[in-house]
Amino acid sequence: MSRKMLLPLFLLPLLAACSDQRAAFEIDGSSQHSLTLIRVQNFFWQKTADYSLVAARMPDCMRRHEIGPGNADTRIEVYAPGNDAWILKQGQRMFVVETRTCQGFARLDQVPDGGTGPLQGVFQMRAGNLSFVAAPQGDAPATN
C-alpha cells in the first residue's frame, strides 16, 4: 500500500475521537418535560468540553441554550426554586432556565434571594458516560 493510502487509516482514530454525549433530567418522570445536557468534546485529550442545555415541555416548547466551555469532567447540579424555573450550578457559574416557555435563560451573578431550592440531581461523567444522577428524595436541602 502506498503512503497516501495509509495516512487516512492512521488519522481515523483522531476523527473518531469526537465525543457528543447527552443526558436528560426528566421532570416529574416525563420525557415530555425535561432538561437535557449536551456535552461535546472535540478530541479525547482535551481537558475541556462545550456544554449546552435543551429545555423542553412538549408539545408547547423546546429550546437549546449555550452554557459554553467547561472542564471535561465537570459536574452540573440542578436545583428547583419553583414555577418551572431551574438553577444549574457548574463550579462557580450559575444559570437559570425556565420550562414554561423555554425562552428564559440567563447567567446568575449570585444566589437568588429565595435560594436555589432543593437539589434535584447532578449531571456528571460516570465510567466515561454523561449521566443524570437524581438526588435522594428528602435529603436535598435548599441552598441559600
Side-chain angles (χ1 to χ4, degrees):
M1 250 184 180
S2 72
R3 288 184 188 184
K4 288 182 181 179
M5 297 288 287
L6 289 176
L7 183 61
L9 291 176
F10 288 119
L11 294 177
L12 188 59
L14 294 177
L15 296 174
C18 181
S19 171
D20 181 342
Q21 297 187 15
R22 298 151 196 262
F25 161 46
E26 293 182 350
I27 300 164
D28 297 327
S30 169
S31 63
Q32 300 295 309
H33 190 191
S34 64
L35 298 176
T36 302
L37 184 70
I38 302 170
R39 176 190 175 274
V40 177
Q41 187 177 18
N42 291 325
F43 300 102
F44 68 88
W45 62 80
Q46 286 183 314
K47 296 185 192 278
T48 61
D50 290 319
Y51 293 89
S52 57
L53 182 79
V54 175
R57 190 176 53 77
M58 300 303 286
D60 298 320
C61 67
M62 179 170 37
R63 181 153 186 161
R64 183 174 176 158
H65 305 284
E66 296 300 320
I67 293 175
N71 185 306
D73 294 327
T74 194
R75 293 169 39 101
I76 298 179
E77 300 168 346
V78 179
Y79 296 90
N83 286 339
D84 287 329
W86 309 94
I87 293 178
L88 304 161
K89 187 175 180 194
Q90 179 188 36
Q92 297 299 315
R93 300 187 318 163
M94 287 191 301
F95 303 89
V96 63
V97 64
E98 56 83 21
T99 55
R100 282 181 145 171
T101 66
C102 302
Q103 299 293 318
F105 180 81
R107 184 168 179 174
L108 299 174
D109 294 328
Q110 61 187 18
V111 175
D113 291 339
T116 59
L119 177 67
Q120 301 300 296
V122 179
F123 288 105
Q124 65 185 26
M125 295 299 291
R126 293 183 117 189
N129 294 311
L130 182 63
S131 60
F132 181 79
V133 179
Q137 295 282 332
D139 292 343
T143 303
N144 291 319

